[in-house]
Amino acid sequence: MKNHCALKYLLLLPLICVVLLFACAEEDDDDEEKDCEPRPWDCHETNDYTVGTLSIRLTINAENPAPTIYIYRGTVESGTLHKTITGYSSSEWSGTENLGDYSAKVDYTVGSVTVTAIDGDSISTYSEQYCEGPCYYLENASLDLTFDYDAFKEYLDGTDEECFIATAAFGSALAEEVAALRRFRDSVLRKSVPGRAFIGLYYRYSPPAARFIGRHETLRGAARAVLVPVAAAVSHPRIFLGGIAACAGCIILVIGLSQHRRRRA
């Protein structure tokens, strides 16, 4: 009789294990449901986004009333030009584009200096996990191409200590003549030993002269009268040399005619 009871309990043991396993599984499911969050009202259940919004903020002012926006797929340096928006006259631009990486640039003119603002972002999707499954969301791209003109002008006027006399004469490091002399210094004078020696002497002795010239309008006018043709010559050397040759030719012609009349007389 004892053996019969023991056999009965052995047969019930597997059934008890199965019941315990199901009970544990239900408890785990209940715990998972407690840990997760229900889907929000704006849940998008499938990842079928193909387009999004590309927004650009840029600077509009008197010097750049209608700039040109260059939009690239990828980066400005290695991507491909995707779209050019010419003459845009608002501080905000937005358009619908396919998913992917985008960059944009705008060239700003400040006096005689051109400054390029560049920014990049990506139109993409991302997902969040909830009790009922993942929800997919669209992430739009927003680019900032704004430029601080006042800070840039203060930077140039306050730190450009390389064209002292020209800056004092024209009143700003942004003047076209100052920019022309600066380009001549960088592209010609710096590339030769005599040119670098001249630059060194100029940096050493010109600041006192520039401060003195800057305090007297008459001296500033005289300095401008000297520097304007110099700046024109270094900006357009062929035209300058052609003018010199033409003047020399005229002088030679006048001298020749004068001598011819004297001989006839």
Side-chain angles (χ1 to χ4, degrees):
M1 188 70 177
K2 291 182 179 180
N3 291 335
H4 182 70
C5 291
L7 182 59
K8 186 187 295 185
Y9 287 124
L10 288 174
L11 291 175
L12 290 174
L13 184 60
L15 181 60
I16 294 171
C17 292
V18 171
V19 172
L20 291 175
L21 286 173
F22 275 109
C24 292
E26 288 179 0
E27 288 180 2
D28 291 340
D29 290 341
D30 292 339
D31 292 339
E32 289 180 3
E33 290 179 0
K34 291 178 182 178
D35 292 339
C36 69
E37 297 180 7
R39 278 177 172 169
W41 64 269
D42 60 344
C43 176
H44 194 77
E45 298 181 18
T46 58
N47 185 13
D48 60 355
Y49 290 108
T50 58
V51 297
T53 301
L54 176 66
S55 301
I56 299 176
R57 295 178 61 248
L58 62 154
T59 300
I60 303 291
N61 66 2
E63 290 178 278
N64 294 269
T68 299
I69 309 172
Y70 302 93
I71 300 176
Y72 293 79
R73 289 298 302 265
T75 64
V76 171
E77 295 79 9
S78 60
T80 57
L81 183 60
H82 173 63
K83 182 182 295 184
T84 301
I85 303 170
T86 304
Y88 198 75
S89 58
S90 176
S91 60
E92 295 281 346
W93 178 91
S94 63
T96 302
E97 301 291 347
N98 292 325
L99 299 180
D101 297 328
Y102 290 89
S103 299
K105 75 171 184 175
V106 169
D107 292 329
Y108 294 108
T109 300
V110 186
S112 61
V113 181
T114 299
V115 179
T116 300
I118 297 175
D119 195 13
D121 201 354
S122 178
I123 301 176
S124 59
T125 60
Y126 68 96
S127 63
E128 297 287 348
Q129 188 69 34
Y130 297 99
C131 298
E132 298 86 350
C135 291
Y136 295 92
Y137 299 95
L138 177 67
E139 193 166 77
N140 295 310
S142 179
L143 308 182
D144 187 356
L145 299 178
T146 57
F147 180 70
D148 191 339
Y149 285 89
D150 294 334
F152 181 71
K153 287 181 178 180
E154 289 177 5
Y155 168 76
L156 281 185
D157 290 337
T159 63
D160 194 335
E161 299 179 351
E162 300 177 346
C163 291
F164 301 102
I165 294 176
T167 302
F170 293 98
S172 173
L174 298 173
E176 178 61 37
E177 292 80 5
V178 179
L181 294 172
R182 190 185 298 114
R183 289 192 296 268
F184 178 73
R185 175 204 64 198
D186 295 336
S187 61
V188 178
L189 294 181
R190 287 191 188 278
K191 295 182 179 180
S192 67
V193 175
R196 288 193 293 271
F198 172 79
I199 293 172
L201 291 173
Y202 179 79
Y203 287 175
R204 185 173 182 179
Y205 296 107
S206 65
R211 286 192 291 271
F212 184 72
I213 291 171
R215 290 194 293 265
H216 300 83
E217 184 58 37
T218 303
L219 293 178
R220 290 181 62 194
R224 288 195 295 271
V226 173
L227 292 174
V228 166
V230 174
V234 299
S235 297
H236 309 285
R238 293 182 179 179
I239 297 175
F240 180 73
L241 293 175
I244 292 178
C247 291
C250 291
I251 293 172
I252 293 172
L253 180 61
V254 170
I255 293 174
L257 290 174
S258 299
Q259 290 180 349
H260 180 67
R261 287 179 180 177
R262 287 178 183 178
R263 287 174 184 174
R264 291 186 63 182

